[in-house]
Structure formats: structure tokens, C-alpha cells
Amino acid sequence: MKERLTPEAKGRRALVKKAQRGDPRAFEELVVGEQEYLYRMAYLQVRSEADALDVVQETILKAYKSRKTLRDPDLFRSWLTKILINAALDLLRRRKPQEPLEENLEAPAPQGLSPEERMDLYQALEDLSEPYRGLVKLKYLDGYTIREISESTGMPAGTVSVYLRRAMDKLRASLKEGAV
């Protein structure tokens, strides 16, 4: 019994076949449709925004070069994912292990601050650009988890973590400058 495909699945299969035959626009359309998925998968593997972007770029390049090796057009995403995981593993083998992003993120308003220190902290927080300021407020002042922030903002959890880390680094630098 032959499996019935939806019109969307048929269109995707036709697009994959065009890409396999060398149509760069078809390949681009497929990749654009998968870019958010690829980034999330890469970020889960390498835990760094820059490295995830490198892995996605490497994946797209390798996939384009080896597009004719895809046997079943219906398995395009799985095939792409396998290439991505291998690219991520290659990158991880080449670099030193790093600490997880969420470690060392400290609350910006610890207890026991003097009024002057608290004012400096809030001024540094206000000097942050969006979305950093909003994310720090949600995480540390309102007490939301990264998952809750991700769901409420529509940002991937990895992006929220990266932005929080950057925001904390900027806050630390700003507060150190003010102390000098």
C-alpha cells in the first residue's frame, strides 16, 4: 500500500529533488525553511552562539556539496541534522571545553548593597540596550526561568542564555568602570 503524501510534503519532495539536481534556489529555499531548527540544534550541541552559527554555516556548505548523496527526499531534515551533528562534533573536538553559559550568572542586586551601590547597579542596568535590559529584569528582578522567558518572548532558550550572559558581562564591565 503506497503512502499518501500531503500537498505540502509533495511540494517539499519536489523541491528537494530540484536541489539535488543542482538548483541553488531550491536548495536555498529548503535551508531557509530549516534555519531556525538548524541553529537550535547547533546551539544545543556547542552551547555558544558564535560556534552555533559556524556549525550551521559549515552544515549548509557540506550539505550543498553532498546534496546528491541524499537517497530519500523525504528524509531531508534527518540528513541535514546528521551533517550538523557531525560538524558540531568536529568543532567540539577542535576546541577546549568551556563552562556552561548559565554558570556564574549572578543576581545583579545581591542583598547588603549600600544605597550608592544599588543606584550604580540600577544605572548600569538602565544603560544596557534592549533586549539585554528586559531579559535581565525578567530573570533577576522578576524571577522568571530561562524557559519561561523563552516562552514569553518567543526567543529560543539558547538565545536567552547568550543574551543574559552578555548582559551580565556588560553590567560587570560597567560597574568596574564606575568603581575606578
Side-chain angles (χ1 to χ4, degrees), residues 47-62:
R47 295 289 204 209
S48 159
E49 181 179 17
D51 288 342
L53 292 171
D54 287 345
V55 167
V56 169
Q57 184 176 4
E58 184 71 19
T59 299
I60 293 168
L61 182 62
K62 286 181 178 181

Side-chain angles (χ1 to χ4, degrees), residues 6-98:
T6 65
E8 182 180 299
K10 286 180 183 178
R12 184 171 172 85
R13 178 185 277 176
L15 202 56
V16 171
K17 287 182 179 182
K18 280 176 138 179
Q20 285 180 296
R21 288 191 301 267
D23 184 337
R25 288 188 182 152
F27 186 80
E28 179 184 7
E29 188 175 332
L30 288 166
V31 168
V32 166
E34 299 291 342
Q35 68 187 9
E36 186 176 327
Y37 167 78
L38 290 173
Y39 174 77
R40 282 192 315 245
M41 288 298 296
Y43 187 84
L44 287 172
Q45 297 292 318
V46 297
R47 295 289 204 209
S48 159
E49 181 179 17
D51 288 342
L53 292 171
D54 287 345
V55 167
V56 169
Q57 184 176 4
E58 184 71 19
T59 299
I60 293 168
L61 182 62
K62 286 181 178 181
Y64 187 76
K65 287 181 178 178
S66 63
R67 67 192 180 278
K68 293 179 182 179
T69 65
L70 175 61
R71 292 187 186 127
D72 184 351
D74 294 331
L75 299 177
F76 179 77
R77 182 180 251 196
S78 298
W79 175 76
L80 206 54
T81 302
K82 183 176 180 181
I83 294 171
L84 181 132
I85 289 171
N86 287 329
L89 291 173
D90 288 345
L91 183 132
L92 290 172
R93 282 186 209 111
R94 289 190 307 260
R95 74 166 196 193
K96 297 177 187 174
Q98 294 180 339

